[in-house]
Amino acid sequence: MKRLISFLLLCVVTVSAFSQVVITSPAMVTEGQVVSVTFNAALGSGGLMNFTGDVYAHTGVITNKSTSDNDWKYLVANWSVNLPKAKLTRSGANTYQLMLSPDIRKFYGVPDGETIIKMAFVFRSADGSKEGKDTGGKDIVVPVYASGVNVSFSKPSLDYSMMAPGNLLDVEVNAAGHQQISLFMGNDLLQTATQSPLKYTLTVPSEGKHLLRAVATDGRAEAADTCFFVVLEPASQAPRPSGLRRGVNRIDDHSVTLLIYAPYKDYIYLAGDFNEWMPGPEHQMMKDGDYFWLTLNHLPPDTEYAYQYWMDGDLKIADPYATKVLDPINDKFIPSRVYPDLKAYPLGKTDGLVSVFQTNPTSFEWTVSDFVPPSPDTLVVYELLIRDFTANGDIKTVTDTLAYLKRLGVNAIELMPFNEFEGNDSWGYNPSLYFAPDKAYGTVTDYKQFIDACHRQGIAVIQDMVLNHSFGQSPFVKMYFDAGKPAANNPWYNRDYNMKNPDAQWGFDFNHESPETQALVDSICAYWMTEYKIDGFRFDFTKGFTNTPYGVNDWASAYDASRIAILKRMANEIWKRKPDALVIFEHLSDNAEEKELADHGILLWGNQNHAFNEATMGFHENNKSDITWANYQYRGFTKPHVVNYMESHDEERLMVRNLLYGNSTASYQVKQLSVSLERIKAAGAILFAIPGPVMVWQFGELGYDVSIDENGRTGKKPVLWTYQQEPERTAVFETWSDMIALKKQEPLFRSSDFSLELKGAVKTVRFMEGGDEVVVLANFDVKSQTVQLPVSVKGTWYNYFKGDSLVVNQTSLPVTLKAGEYRVLSSRPLAGFNRFVEPAVVEPDRSSFVYPEELTRNYTVNNPFESNGEVWVYNSYGRLIHQMDIERSVNLNLNAASGGVCVVTVHAGGNVARQKIVLY
């Protein structure tokens, strides 16, 4: 038996019912009839309310061959096709009519022998930009009845809520093929009728859950339809058990206690799988001040239970503290390879997001329990959007790429928001629930395995957290909502935006001065650090964490003492629970405010996109490529707490502008791919040398050149792992990897004795420590430049990337740099300094001796000479990356190497053989 449910008014019917968004004539549709469908655009989703243009029906049928209600058959037309037979006729304000003739089988073209179960509709504007659907954005479905006796309640409908005692309840029953209709409440006959519809008004009893039953008969056969209604009763007052946390509290393998904070609410009912989504008095929650609680017992273990809180007559919400939710609209689009065996949504029993618990969830066995995040001065963050990083778009596949990121050298991965957000295809800045990872990227276990694997590789995991705002699916929003925005008594949100700039208004604004919001923020951060071992957070738009009023053209950048206090409090609470947690703000406010936050221990995003891109494009007039703001000392900070970056998820990619707008001379073209990539290498050399933490955006290390606006700013972007087959791009990877290694491993690069010259076309970063000196310099002009480099240490100096040296006897060294050239010069060999061998000869001197010849990372090298020797492997930049002895043959494993072209050489008895290989 299927159930049609409204909040605390529960209809159980033999077929699915439909809301009053559409009304059909006849009321009970059978196959062999002309059917009139009347659409009320003001009801349901309201997407076509007050629309004045043409309206078309996107419509099909659900048949016995459909796999679900989403599997429409025999569409009248595709979404963008406007057929006259699918065009509605306007019959009044927001009212339209569609005629299905000569009957529904012929209208839809359903072949004989296939049973029509339902008709399905979405109404749309001619261009498809506006659509009218059922409440909650669901498709509109209309049941189709078999011939014979049929009966159905049309009232009560989905618009009714729990009935107060003594109220009048209108009942209406439709029937077809009948001689008599009978209406019962329990076993008591209320009324009979021979004509359809039967109408009756009853007085709601004083208590209990009551069954209404309609029976239609033709004297030989009968059909029945039933519905329940529940009488609202005052909540029982009872103190909650001690030690409860908000959300689900597991008592044992068979019992849980649920607790929700809900001030100003008079009653809450718990509905779910455990009561067949028909809550009665026994599932009305106990009230204890501003809290409601209820214990569920005798629950079989190893079972997931879907549930909701029902309150305020017609409000149904998921548990705001749920660790998993089901979505009736979006779950069906999640592939089983991403989330196997996903629990089915309880269709026909409720609507909206549904929370899930299990009495005995499987515990995760962590392999790393003592991971320590990197210190800020060696922190190299890789910002990553799970959706666009791999073709599968899931966290499991990101886990599989960790060897690649380890080779690059990053020691932290910053995941763009992955707590539940609205829809499946998003950047994640539209959060709905804060304690559940989004299923679009994988299971709870998948996320934990990723984090554990990162820790095994020495990589911290930073969670991008959005606490400036929530969107409309959030239970915290829905619980107290009035006239399209948070109600005045909402404990967590401001009713109106304090920032009047429309470009700074997203979703609904958290009230960070509220103690309840502050407690929520603390619990969210504590949960992820404890349950998922998250190492820190990047907080989105933290300058919105204030109630200070700001005008229409104001981005709230001025110094705000109240905001500083709010943010320091939040950071202190994080460090109270995890002293080494990384706390990063996207703040971008007045420098005095950022200095105070940085000196408190907070890391601040430092957006250098514009200036770095001017440099890579080759434009320097009026100091437009000046990146001095990346120097934390220049900004007056006492700690290196600026997270500098050239690219982020929110900025255009450097290569896009290089290739579109790059500067040029007669002999030098920045718009050429190879030239542009060389300049990206130079930019990386400077970026990673600047003192303090650094962040890169995914695939920047390969010169990603797809615009942020491709497929819409937040739309999916191509996943181009094929870049690893292009030597010019893998050379960028190698250069960045080398610079990251220097930043992390060389004490010189962490010296507090440094100077930066970052204004002109030639940019330099200099470190001195204990009589040693290192200078990183790059020429971003489009012509050669010669600079006089002051030298405080005489003697042998080493060119890190060339692998050679020179003797310096003067106090200054003239250095000529070609356009786009960069160097790392040091007064002693730096960590990783290797001899340089020019790989000019890449064809083998003899027949192939490295097998197999196809793309792989594991080879067998056969010695082509009689005597024993050595195997040397060089990357495309000419750097020695592997060395080993060889007798007759040896296994060569290059899993730790970057992709691209390499040269394998065998040196034996004064002979040399060379062979080119390509790593995938």
Side-chain angles (χ1 to χ4, degrees):
M1 180 176 291
K2 299 181 180 178
R3 286 165 297 279
L4 166 66
I5 305 171
S6 64
F7 171 65
L8 300 174
L9 186 62
L10 315 168
C11 297
V12 183
V13 293
T14 55
V15 293
S16 297
F18 59 97
S19 73
Q20 300 303 302
V21 180
V22 296
I23 296 173
T24 63
S25 178
M28 304 191 75
V29 176
T30 58
E31 287 191 14
Q33 301 170 301
V34 176
V35 177
S36 170
V37 178
T38 300
F39 166 54
N40 189 334
L43 300 179
S45 65
L48 288 167
M49 184 169 63
N50 299 325
F51 179 65
T52 58
D54 291 338
V55 173
Y56 288 82
H58 182 64
T59 181
V61 292
I62 312 299
T63 75
N64 61 322
K65 295 186 178 181
S66 297
T67 58
S68 70
D69 278 1
N70 302 311
D71 186 14
W72 293 19
K73 305 290 187 184
Y74 309 106
L75 292 174
V76 169
N78 290 330
W79 181 261
S80 59
V81 178
N82 299 326
L83 293 184
K85 68 181 292 185
K87 184 177 180 180
L88 280 71
T89 302
R90 188 184 303 273
S91 57
N94 288 316
T95 306
Y96 301 83
Q97 187 177 44
L98 178 69
M99 299 300 296
L100 312 184
S101 64
D103 58 51
I104 60 175
R105 183 172 293 276
K106 291 184 175 63
F107 181 83
Y108 288 103
V110 182
D112 292 338
E114 190 167 349
T115 303
I116 303 173
I117 299 172
K118 301 173 186 176
M119 299 182 294
F121 299 89
V122 173
F123 300 101
R124 62 171 178 82
S125 58
D127 62 2
S129 63
K130 298 179 181 295
E131 61 181 31
K133 305 182 80 172
D134 205 345
T135 302
K138 300 187 295 294
D139 297 341
I140 300 166
V141 293
V142 177
V144 176
Y145 296 87
S147 58
V149 182
N150 294 288
V151 67
S152 176
F153 282 99
S154 59
K155 292 183 181 180
S157 75
L158 288 173
D159 295 329
Y160 276 70
S161 60
M162 174 175 244
M163 301 305 300
N167 277 9
L168 298 179
L169 175 60
D170 290 330
V171 180
E172 185 173 305
V173 179
N174 290 311
H178 65 286
Q179 294 179 358
Q180 180 172 292
I181 312 168
S182 301
L183 175 65
F184 298 84
M185 187 167 72
N187 293 321
D188 297 331
L189 178 63
L190 300 181
Q191 184 166 310
T192 62
T194 58
Q195 298 295 317
S196 176
L198 177 153
K199 296 184 179 181
Y200 183 81
T201 300
L202 66 84
T203 300
V204 176
S206 60
E207 61 183 10
K209 181 168 66 174
H210 300 274
L211 171 70
L212 293 177
R213 183 166 56 97
V215 178
T217 179
D218 65 357
R220 293 167 301 182
E222 69 176 34
D225 189 10
T226 59
C227 71
F228 290 89
F229 68 90
V230 179
V231 181
L232 174 61
E233 301 176 37
S236 297
Q237 303 286 328
R240 63 188 184 275
S242 61
L244 293 183
R245 294 179 177 270
R246 299 178 189 186
V248 175
N249 296 264
R250 293 170 179 86
I251 300 172
D252 54 40
D253 286 355
H254 302 275
S255 304
V256 297
T257 298
L258 293 97
L259 179 71
I260 182 170
Y261 175 76
Y264 318 116
K265 303 297 183 185
D266 296 322
Y267 58 87
I268 299 178
Y269 280 70
L270 191 61
D273 295 340
F274 38 80
N275 57 22
E276 293 297 314
W277 296 91
M278 295 185 292
E282 69 277 15
H283 288 106
Q284 185 172 2
M285 301 184 77
M286 305 291 183
K287 194 174 191 310
D288 180 11
D290 289 335
Y291 288 87
F292 289 81
W293 66 277
L294 187 68
T295 297
L296 300 176
N297 294 308
H298 311 299
L299 298 170
D302 303 317
T303 301
E304 287 189 314
Y305 295 92
Y307 70 103
Q308 286 177 323
Y309 296 116
W310 291 2
M311 62 188 75
D312 290 352
D314 58 358
L315 177 62
K316 308 173 186 179
I317 65 164
D319 189 337
Y321 289 83
T323 57
K324 178 178 178 177
V325 292
L326 304 178
D327 186 322
I329 298 174
N330 296 294
D331 283 0
K332 59 180 173 284
F333 300 113
I334 300 175
S336 59
R337 62 173 170 76
V338 173
Y339 204 112
D341 303 317
L342 176 59
K343 180 178 173 64
Y345 186 88
L347 289 170
K349 300 177 181 179
T350 189
D351 54 59
L353 296 183
V354 165
S355 32
V356 177
F357 74 79
Q358 187 172 338
T359 60
N360 61 335
T362 303
S363 61
F364 183 79
E365 297 296 328
W366 296 92
T367 63
V368 180
S369 59
D370 56 353
F371 180 78
V372 178
S375 61
D377 57 353
T378 62
L379 181 64
V380 182
V381 180
Y382 194 90
E383 189 188 16
L384 184 154
L385 173 58
I386 298 170
R387 184 196 69 186
D388 291 351
F389 192 61
T390 69
N392 281 351
D394 60 18
I395 193 66
K396 284 185 295 189
T397 316
V398 178
T399 306
D400 296 338
T401 69
L402 289 181
Y404 167 87
L405 295 174
K406 179 72 172 178
R407 291 197 302 273
L408 179 60
V410 299
N411 52 19
I413 294 174
E414 181 181 303
L415 294 177
M416 287 176 66
F418 62 86
N419 56 290
E420 274 285 349
F421 47 79
E422 300 198 355
N424 295 334
D425 183 1
S426 171
W427 275 5
Y429 295 102
N430 52 341
S432 54
L433 285 102
Y434 285 98
F435 297 87
D438 201 289
K439 305 186 302 301
Y441 296 150
T443 67
V444 167
T445 299
D446 294 338
Y447 284 100
K448 291 182 177 181
Q449 287 176 339
F450 167 78
I451 294 165
D452 203 31
C454 284
H455 289 170
R456 289 197 300 271
Q457 296 281 3
I459 298 174
V461 179
I462 299 167
Q463 182 176 10
D464 197 343
M465 183 61 69
V466 185
L467 292 173
N468 173 71
H469 58 270
S470 300
F471 276 69
Q473 282 187 345
S474 169
F476 292 114
V477 172
K478 296 177 71 172
M479 285 175 69
Y480 305 90
F481 200 70
D482 177 53
K485 55 186 178 180
N489 64 346
N490 191 304
W492 301 282
Y493 296 88
N494 291 315
R495 180 157 174 79
D496 297 302
Y497 298 102
N498 63 297
M499 295 178 65
K500 302 307 178 185
N501 185 339
D503 293 333
Q505 297 175 354
W506 306 281
F508 302 104
D509 184 39
F510 269 116
N511 175 10
H512 281 277
E513 292 183 356
S514 164
E516 278 304 318
T517 300
Q518 294 176 3
L520 174 62
V521 167
D522 297 344
S523 63
I524 291 169
C525 296
Y527 173 78
W528 290 101
M529 290 189 295
T530 302
E531 183 66 23
Y532 285 80
K533 296 190 180 297
I534 287 292
D535 299 298
F537 303 94
R538 176 266 188 190
F539 291 98
D540 184 63
F541 198 68
T542 46
K543 66 181 176 184
F545 289 33
T546 178
N547 284 350
T548 301
Y550 292 95
V552 172
N553 298 315
D554 200 325
W555 273 97
S557 297
Y559 184 92
D560 186 339
S562 66
R563 177 170 57 202
I564 293 172
I566 288 168
L567 294 171
K568 284 184 177 180
R569 188 214 66 82
M570 179 180 72
N572 291 341
E573 290 297 321
I574 292 171
W575 291 324
K576 184 187 296 182
R577 294 160 175 82
K578 182 176 171 58
D580 60 1
L582 298 165
V583 179
I584 305 173
F585 288 174
E586 182 207 29
H587 203 61
L588 309 176
S589 74
D590 179 88
N591 190 61
E593 182 166 332
E594 294 210 343
K595 171 180 167 25
E596 188 168 340
L597 294 171
D599 292 347
H600 190 67
I602 295 161
L603 308 182
L604 284 305
W605 261 26
N607 184 356
Q608 313 302 332
N609 174 262
H610 175 77
F612 258 115
N613 215 168
E614 292 293 336
T616 60
M617 288 188 293
F619 299 110
H620 308 283
E621 59 273 19
N622 301 318
N623 291 326
K624 65 186 344 180
S625 73
D626 183 4
I627 55 175
T628 304
W629 201 242
N631 182 352
Y632 77 92
Q633 288 186 349
Y634 177 83
R635 296 181 61 178
F637 292 13
T638 60
K639 300 176 181 179
H641 281 185
V642 182
V643 184
N644 286 303
Y645 59 89
M646 302 186 294
E647 294 177 341
S648 74
H649 70 272
D650 223 11
E651 309 298 335
E652 183 60 280
R653 318 308 171 211
L654 300 187
M655 282 291 293
V656 171
R657 291 199 181 105
N658 283 3
L659 298 175
L660 287 174
Y661 311 117
N663 201 355
S664 64
T665 65
S667 59
Y668 186 86
Q669 305 284 334
V670 174
K671 293 179 182 180
Q672 291 182 1
L673 179 65
S674 58
V675 173
S676 188
L677 287 169
E678 280 295 315
R679 298 177 74 87
I680 295 298
K681 291 160 67 175
I686 295 297
L687 174 70
F688 294 115
I690 294 172
V694 172
M695 186 184 77
V696 298
W697 167 245
Q698 64 185 32
F699 299 127
E701 72 280 2
L702 295 171
Y704 192 78
D705 54 20
V706 178
S707 173
I708 191 174
D709 294 320
E710 174 83 12
N711 191 33
R713 184 177 182 83
T714 62
K716 290 183 178 180
K717 303 297 185 288
V719 180
L720 297 177
W721 286 97
T722 53
Y723 279 169
Q724 291 188 94
Q725 309 306 321
E726 301 177 36
E728 291 172 329
R729 293 186 186 274
T730 59
V732 178
F733 180 104
E734 294 290 349
T735 298
W736 284 25
S737 179
D738 286 341
M739 289 303 303
I740 291 171
L742 290 176
K743 187 177 192 71
K744 295 191 306 180
Q745 299 170 15
E746 259 297 340
L748 258 176
F749 279 78
R750 297 191 295 278
S751 171
S752 58
D753 186 2
F754 65 85
S755 62
L756 282 69
E757 295 293 336
L758 302 174
K759 286 187 177 182
V762 177
K763 304 184 188 298
T764 63
V765 179
R766 179 191 303 270
F767 294 94
M768 289 164 282
E769 179 91 0
D772 293 327
E773 187 172 358
V774 61
V775 181
V776 180
L777 65 167
N779 176 20
F780 292 98
D781 209 336
V782 291
K783 60 185 178 181
S784 296
Q785 291 279 4
T786 299
V787 295
Q788 289 294 327
L789 190 66
V791 175
S792 61
V793 179
K794 296 181 181 180
T796 302
W797 275 65
Y798 300 85
N799 187 328
Y800 181 79
F801 284 106
K802 287 294 184 183
D804 58 12
S805 59
L806 72 160
V807 176
V808 178
N809 293 317
Q810 302 85 18
T811 57
S812 68
L813 175 67
V815 177
T816 299
L817 297 172
K818 294 181 292 185
E821 187 179 1
Y822 57 96
R823 294 186 192 174
V824 177
L825 306 175
S826 61
S827 62
R828 63 166 174 79
L830 299 174
F833 178 83
N834 286 318
R835 52 189 159 170
F836 177 83
V837 175
E838 176 63 51
V841 180
V842 296
E843 296 300 324
D845 294 330
R846 297 177 174 233
S847 300
S848 296
F849 57 89
V850 183
Y851 301 95
E853 295 186 35
E854 62 265 20
L855 298 180
T856 182
R857 286 186 175 272
N858 293 284
Y859 298 89
T860 297
V861 180
N862 295 323
N863 190 344
F865 307 112
E866 296 297 327
S867 56
N868 298 340
E870 291 184 330
V871 176
W872 296 356
V873 183
Y874 298 91
N875 65 16
S876 60
Y877 200 73
R879 295 184 63 79
L880 181 66
I881 62 172
H882 196 81
Q883 185 174 358
M884 62 196 306
D885 294 331
I886 186 172
E887 295 180 2
R888 301 276 39 91
S889 67
V890 68
N891 292 327
L892 175 62
N893 184 304
L894 296 177
N895 281 330
S898 301
V901 176
C902 292
V903 177
V904 180
T905 65
V906 175
H907 302 254
N911 299 307
V912 179
R914 300 179 177 87
Q915 182 175 331
K916 179 175 68 174
I917 61 174
V918 180
L919 302 183
Y920 67 91

